[in-house]
Amino acid sequence: MQDNLEATNYQRRKSKQAIIQWAGQIITVGDGAPIRVQSMTNTDTEDVMETAIQIKELARAGSELVRITVNTPAAAAAVPLIREQLDKMSISVPIIGDFHYNGHTLLQDYPECAKALSKYRINPGNVGQGAKRDTQFSQMVELACKYEKPIRIGVNWGSLDQDLLAQLMDQNASLNVPRQAREVMIEALIQSALQSAQRAEEIGLAGHQIILSCKVSAVQDLVTVYRDLGRRCDYPLHLGLTEAGIGSKGIVASTAALSILLQEGIGDTIRISLTPEPGAPRENEVIVGQEILQTMGLRHFTPMVIACPGCGRTTSTYFQHLASEIQSYLRNQMPHWKLDYPGVESMNVAVMGCIVNGPGESKQADIGISLPGNGESPAAPVFIDGQKAMTLRGDHILEEFQVILNDYVKQRFGQ
């Protein structure tokens, strides 16, 4: 397993391994594979170029799987064209088809769509009503078998199988001591996922090609659901709040829920379902997911900047500017650094604001700079591998420190 957490109390939950592939690229999920970061487009899938461009941006930000809505015949017809555009742009990220209500029809009527997708997402609460449910679910699974595609059975609180819920509610009402409605709904979520997975295996899909999710919007409910689900099956699990929210609320809620589960070894893929702020790039949800995993020590994606919050000692404007610029610089370098300098993603960089903790934190990082605070000598010592290497002065500290960073990366991580 890549990027193991060093804490002795951490142990990943045992699970099967799903294989997702496209054009010779293989991504494994579960069974000790790295926890994967997933995202989803918000473009109209019928717009081939707009969707392909957003997938490219998400993939370059680090999304290892990208899900797209497939909801209309035109969207289904667009999928192979989107895949073609991605291949022309040398973007090999697998794309996942998100199906509700009419997935059985679209996959049957548009075989090129079924082939171009690397995985299907099926919501058992939205595959049909009454007698049609089993038939239409079976049709989708049979097509997954035909084209050798894994599936995610994704149950959502807001689109739960109402027949199953009513059945469990009736059973609960007959008990001498009925459970609370919330407990019954949680049980309905889990049973919907497990029963659907069992049915998929009966149809012929291999168990290791099934991933499960049971998404809700509340942090404590998500923790409860996944703890129970994790105890009752060995399928790989996809984590995420179904609607995390906007801005800091969405980030905090996702971090709170996923950190608990991940620390307990539960979860094989994650998605941070942020409501986009106006004008904000879609790839922000990818960065948040990466940072959750990286700050927990579970994976490394890009060098992390350690920076103090600032106080009355720091010259806050310049200090904040330098920390932000260095973090952006490191992230922008990663598309080619990760190819040329293996291991660079684990590098730690300190950008500190005054003499109190600056030198000490900079010495602990791989490379760090301690800026002068208010009333301090206008000098910025640079520390490399724990030793003071030089001192920067003047108006070009940012540019000079970037050169030092580049030289350090080449020397330490170059072949």
Side-chain angles (χ1 to χ4, degrees), residues 393-411:
R393 295 179 172 83
D395 298 328
H396 302 287
I397 288 177
L398 171 61
E399 293 80 5
E400 292 173 13
F401 188 58
Q402 287 177 344
V403 172
I404 295 167
L405 271 172
N406 271 310
D407 290 343
Y408 178 78
V409 168
K410 291 176 183 177
Q411 180 180 356

Side-chain angles (χ1 to χ4, degrees), residues 11 49 51-52 58 66-67 97 108 138 141 144 158 173 175 194 196 207 227 239 279 283 308 349 360 375 377 399:
Q11 185 175 357
M49 287 307 302
T51 302
L58 291 167
V66 178
R67 183 158 48 109
Q108 181 68 49
S138 297
V141 174
L175 298 175
L194 294 178
S196 298
R227 281 175 172 168
L239 302 185
E283 53 267 34
C308 65
V349 179
S377 173
E399 293 80 5

Side-chain angles (χ1 to χ4, degrees), residues 154-165:
V155 183
N156 277 3
W157 189 277
S159 53
L160 185 56
D161 181 340
Q162 293 302 302
D163 290 342
L164 175 61
L165 178 60

Side-chain angles (χ1 to χ4, degrees), residues 323-374:
S324 177
E325 287 291 326
I326 292 299
Q327 181 70 79
S328 296
Y329 177 77
L330 293 170
R331 186 168 290 279
N332 290 336
Q333 297 308 303
M334 281 308 294
H336 70 86
W337 272 6
K338 67 182 178 182
L339 298 176
D340 297 336
Y341 306 113
V344 68
E345 63 275 4
S346 64
M347 181 175 69
N348 287 319
V349 179
V351 180
M352 304 302 294
C354 77
I355 200 171
V356 173
N357 291 320
E361 288 283 0
S362 296
K363 289 177 183 178
Q364 293 299 317
D366 295 303
I367 181 170
I369 184 169
S370 181
L371 296 173
N374 286 323

Side-chain angles (χ1 to χ4, degrees), residues 11 25 32 39 51 55 97 173 207 252 280 284 393:
Q11 185 175 357
Q25 304 291 321
S39 60
T51 302
I55 293 173
V252 171
N284 279 356
R393 295 179 172 83

